[in-house]
mmCIF file of all heavy atoms in Angstrom:
data_model
loop_
_atom_site.group_PDB
_atom_site.id
_atom_site.type_symbol
_atom_site.label_atom_id
_atom_site.label_comp_id
_atom_site.label_asym_id
_atom_site.label_seq_id
_atom_site.Cartn_x
_atom_site.Cartn_y
_atom_site.Cartn_z
ATOM 1 N N THR B 79 84.955 125.886 109.261
ATOM 2 C CA THR B 79 84.004 126.595 110.136
ATOM 3 C C THR B 79 84.299 126.292 111.600
ATOM 4 O O THR B 79 83.957 127.094 112.475
ATOM 5 C CB THR B 79 82.549 126.168 109.813
ATOM 6 O OG1 THR B 79 82.426 124.743 110.078
ATOM 7 C CG2 THR B 79 82.214 126.416 108.354
ATOM 8 N N LEU B 80 84.936 125.151 111.874
ATOM 9 C CA LEU B 80 85.258 124.783 113.259
ATOM 10 C C LEU B 80 86.670 125.196 113.660
ATOM 11 O O LEU B 80 86.956 125.355 114.850
ATOM 12 C CB LEU B 80 85.121 123.261 113.444
ATOM 13 C CG LEU B 80 83.727 122.681 113.219
ATOM 14 C CD1 LEU B 80 83.784 121.172 113.003
ATOM 15 C CD2 LEU B 80 82.819 123.016 114.408
ATOM 16 N N LEU B 81 87.564 125.348 112.681
ATOM 17 C CA LEU B 81 88.996 125.444 112.996
ATOM 18 C C LEU B 81 89.642 126.775 112.666
ATOM 19 O O LEU B 81 90.795 127.014 113.035
ATOM 20 C CB LEU B 81 89.748 124.318 112.268
ATOM 21 C CG LEU B 81 89.335 122.902 112.660
ATOM 22 C CD1 LEU B 81 90.135 121.874 111.873
ATOM 23 C CD2 LEU B 81 89.504 122.672 114.163
ATOM 24 N N GLU B 82 88.931 127.627 111.958
ATOM 25 C CA GLU B 82 89.508 128.913 111.557
ATOM 26 C C GLU B 82 90.037 129.657 112.784
ATOM 27 O O GLU B 82 89.334 129.779 113.798
ATOM 28 C CB GLU B 82 88.427 129.743 110.842
ATOM 29 C CG GLU B 82 89.002 130.815 109.962
ATOM 30 C CD GLU B 82 87.940 131.452 109.052
ATOM 31 O OE1 GLU B 82 86.882 130.821 108.831
ATOM 32 O OE2 GLU B 82 88.188 132.580 108.602
ATOM 33 N N GLY B 83 91.293 130.085 112.701
ATOM 34 C CA GLY B 83 91.883 130.856 113.792
ATOM 35 C C GLY B 83 92.324 130.027 114.992
ATOM 36 O O GLY B 83 92.799 130.582 115.988
ATOM 37 N N LYS B 84 92.203 128.702 114.898
ATOM 38 C CA LYS B 84 92.567 127.821 116.012
ATOM 39 C C LYS B 84 93.978 127.220 115.823
ATOM 40 O O LYS B 84 94.516 127.224 114.707
ATOM 41 C CB LYS B 84 91.559 126.663 116.109
ATOM 42 C CG LYS B 84 90.113 127.097 116.325
ATOM 43 C CD LYS B 84 89.847 127.498 117.763
ATOM 44 C CE LYS B 84 88.440 128.030 117.982
ATOM 45 N NZ LYS B 84 87.395 127.003 117.822
ATOM 46 N N VAL B 85 94.509 126.665 116.910
ATOM 47 C CA VAL B 85 95.777 125.934 116.848
ATOM 48 C C VAL B 85 95.453 124.456 116.599
ATOM 49 O O VAL B 85 94.851 123.798 117.452
ATOM 50 C CB VAL B 85 96.579 126.091 118.158
ATOM 51 C CG1 VAL B 85 97.883 125.279 118.076
ATOM 52 C CG2 VAL B 85 96.877 127.563 118.410
ATOM 53 N N VAL B 86 95.834 123.967 115.417
ATOM 54 C CA VAL B 86 95.413 122.645 114.974
ATOM 55 C C VAL B 86 96.629 121.728 114.808
ATOM 56 O O VAL B 86 97.525 122.017 114.013
ATOM 57 C CB VAL B 86 94.640 122.727 113.643
ATOM 58 C CG1 VAL B 86 94.196 121.328 113.183
ATOM 59 C CG2 VAL B 86 93.438 123.662 113.774
ATOM 60 N N GLY B 87 96.649 120.657 115.547
ATOM 61 C CA GLY B 87 97.692 119.659 115.369
ATOM 62 C C GLY B 87 97.335 118.682 114.267
ATOM 63 O O GLY B 87 96.167 118.480 113.963
ATOM 64 N N TYR B 88 98.355 118.121 113.635
ATOM 65 C CA TYR B 88 98.122 117.030 112.686
ATOM 66 C C TYR B 88 99.168 115.950 112.962
ATOM 67 O O TYR B 88 100.172 116.203 113.635
ATOM 68 C CB TYR B 88 98.184 117.520 111.237
ATOM 69 C CG TYR B 88 99.527 118.060 110.825
ATOM 70 C CD1 TYR B 88 100.509 117.226 110.302
ATOM 71 C CD2 TYR B 88 99.823 119.417 110.964
ATOM 72 C CE1 TYR B 88 101.748 117.725 109.942
ATOM 73 C CE2 TYR B 88 101.062 119.921 110.617
ATOM 74 C CZ TYR B 88 102.021 119.071 110.105
ATOM 75 O OH TYR B 88 103.261 119.558 109.756
ATOM 76 N N GLU B 89 98.914 114.744 112.438
ATOM 77 C CA GLU B 89 99.824 113.620 112.689
ATOM 78 C C GLU B 89 100.906 113.584 111.604
ATOM 79 O O GLU B 89 100.665 113.130 110.489
ATOM 80 C CB GLU B 89 99.026 112.316 112.723
ATOM 81 C CG GLU B 89 97.991 112.312 113.839
ATOM 82 C CD GLU B 89 97.193 111.026 113.897
ATOM 83 O OE1 GLU B 89 96.474 110.740 112.928
ATOM 84 O OE2 GLU B 89 97.307 110.317 114.910
ATOM 85 N N ALA B 90 102.088 114.032 111.980
ATOM 86 C CA ALA B 90 103.166 114.183 110.994
ATOM 87 C C ALA B 90 103.630 112.842 110.433
ATOM 88 O O ALA B 90 104.207 112.796 109.347
ATOM 89 C CB ALA B 90 104.353 114.921 111.616
ATOM 90 N N ASP B 91 103.359 111.759 111.164
ATOM 91 C CA ASP B 91 103.745 110.437 110.670
ATOM 92 C C ASP B 91 102.586 109.745 109.956
ATOM 93 O O ASP B 91 102.655 108.550 109.676
ATOM 94 C CB ASP B 91 104.276 109.558 111.807
ATOM 95 C CG ASP B 91 103.283 109.438 112.962
ATOM 96 O OD1 ASP B 91 102.318 110.236 113.012
ATOM 97 O OD2 ASP B 91 103.458 108.546 113.804
ATOM 98 N N ALA B 92 101.528 110.500 109.646
ATOM 99 C CA ALA B 92 100.387 109.893 108.956
ATOM 100 C C ALA B 92 99.719 110.896 108.024
ATOM 101 O O ALA B 92 98.516 110.832 107.784
ATOM 102 C CB ALA B 92 99.371 109.356 109.964
ATOM 103 N N LEU B 93 100.493 111.844 107.516
ATOM 104 C CA LEU B 93 99.931 112.820 106.577
ATOM 105 C C LEU B 93 100.945 113.024 105.456
ATOM 106 O O LEU B 93 102.112 113.325 105.706
ATOM 107 C CB LEU B 93 99.664 114.161 107.283
ATOM 108 C CG LEU B 93 98.809 115.141 106.475
ATOM 109 C CD1 LEU B 93 97.343 114.728 106.500
ATOM 110 C CD2 LEU B 93 98.965 116.563 106.996
ATOM 111 N N LEU B 94 100.474 112.857 104.212
ATOM 112 C CA LEU B 94 101.353 113.061 103.071
ATOM 113 C C LEU B 94 101.579 114.557 102.864
ATOM 114 O O LEU B 94 100.724 115.382 103.176
ATOM 115 C CB LEU B 94 100.743 112.439 101.814
ATOM 116 C CG LEU B 94 100.666 110.903 101.846
ATOM 117 C CD1 LEU B 94 99.759 110.381 100.735
ATOM 118 C CD2 LEU B 94 102.066 110.297 101.734
ATOM 119 N N VAL B 95 102.735 114.866 102.311
ATOM 120 C CA VAL B 95 103.100 116.271 102.130
ATOM 121 C C VAL B 95 102.054 117.015 101.302
ATOM 122 O O VAL B 95 101.683 118.147 101.625
ATOM 123 C CB VAL B 95 104.496 116.384 101.473
ATOM 124 C CG1 VAL B 95 104.825 117.838 101.184
ATOM 125 C CG2 VAL B 95 105.562 115.760 102.367
ATOM 126 N N ASN B 96 101.532 116.390 100.252
ATOM 127 C CA ASN B 96 100.560 117.118 99.431
ATOM 128 C C ASN B 96 99.234 117.348 100.166
ATOM 129 O O ASN B 96 98.519 118.296 99.878
ATOM 130 C CB ASN B 96 100.348 116.438 98.066
ATOM 131 C CG ASN B 96 99.711 115.067 98.173
ATOM 132 O OD1 ASN B 96 99.818 114.413 99.205
ATOM 133 N ND2 ASN B 96 99.052 114.648 97.116
ATOM 134 N N LYS B 97 98.921 116.497 101.143
ATOM 135 C CA LYS B 97 97.717 116.727 101.949
ATOM 136 C C LYS B 97 97.947 117.870 102.933
ATOM 137 O O LYS B 97 97.009 118.599 103.283
ATOM 138 C CB LYS B 97 97.343 115.463 102.738
ATOM 139 C CG LYS B 97 97.097 114.244 101.887
ATOM 140 C CD LYS B 97 95.799 114.338 101.119
ATOM 141 C CE LYS B 97 95.641 113.133 100.201
ATOM 142 N NZ LYS B 97 94.550 113.312 99.235
ATOM 143 N N LEU B 98 99.171 118.013 103.387
ATOM 144 C CA LEU B 98 99.482 119.126 104.290
ATOM 145 C C LEU B 98 99.193 120.450 103.591
ATOM 146 O O LEU B 98 98.660 121.379 104.194
ATOM 147 C CB LEU B 98 100.948 119.041 104.733
ATOM 148 C CG LEU B 98 101.435 120.161 105.646
ATOM 149 C CD1 LEU B 98 100.618 120.230 106.925
ATOM 150 C CD2 LEU B 98 102.914 119.980 105.988
ATOM 151 N N HIS B 99 99.524 120.500 102.310
ATOM 152 C CA HIS B 99 99.233 121.722 101.562
ATOM 153 C C HIS B 99 97.737 122.018 101.584
ATOM 154 O O HIS B 99 97.316 123.158 101.700
ATOM 155 C CB HIS B 99 99.762 121.603 100.128
ATOM 156 C CG HIS B 99 101.256 121.444 100.058
ATOM 157 N ND1 HIS B 99 101.895 120.874 98.985
ATOM 158 C CD2 HIS B 99 102.221 121.762 100.944
ATOM 159 C CE1 HIS B 99 103.201 120.852 99.225
ATOM 160 N NE2 HIS B 99 103.425 121.384 100.403
ATOM 161 N N GLN B 100 96.917 120.963 101.515
ATOM 162 C CA GLN B 100 95.458 121.179 101.534
ATOM 163 C C GLN B 100 94.988 121.748 102.879
ATOM 164 O O GLN B 100 94.012 122.498 102.924
ATOM 165 C CB GLN B 100 94.719 119.867 101.257
ATOM 166 C CG GLN B 100 94.922 119.348 99.834
ATOM 167 C CD GLN B 100 94.333 117.951 99.645
ATOM 168 O OE1 GLN B 100 93.589 117.463 100.480
ATOM 169 N NE2 GLN B 100 94.684 117.310 98.532
ATOM 170 N N LEU B 101 95.688 121.388 103.948
ATOM 171 C CA LEU B 101 95.269 121.863 105.269
ATOM 172 C C LEU B 101 95.378 123.384 105.403
ATOM 173 O O LEU B 101 94.768 123.964 106.305
ATOM 174 C CB LEU B 101 96.072 121.189 106.388
ATOM 175 C CG LEU B 101 95.807 119.708 106.644
ATOM 176 C CD1 LEU B 101 96.428 119.282 107.966
ATOM 177 C CD2 LEU B 101 94.326 119.398 106.649
ATOM 178 N N ALA B 102 96.150 123.995 104.529
ATOM 179 C CA ALA B 102 96.208 125.458 104.547
ATOM 180 C C ALA B 102 94.799 126.043 104.430
ATOM 181 O O ALA B 102 94.498 127.104 105.000
ATOM 182 C CB ALA B 102 97.102 125.968 103.418
ATOM 183 N N GLY B 103 93.912 125.317 103.731
ATOM 184 C CA GLY B 103 92.540 125.775 103.549
ATOM 185 C C GLY B 103 91.738 125.883 104.833
ATOM 186 O O GLY B 103 90.657 126.482 104.852
#
Side-chain angles (χ1 to χ4, degrees):
Chain B
T79 62
L80 298 162
L81 299 180
E82 201 169 340
K84 301 282 176 68
V85 178
V86 180
Y88 63 89
E89 299 180 296
D91 55 346
L93 192 76
L94 293 166
V95 175
N96 65 336
K97 302 288 176 192
L98 178 59
H99 298 157
Q100 293 172 12
L101 290 193

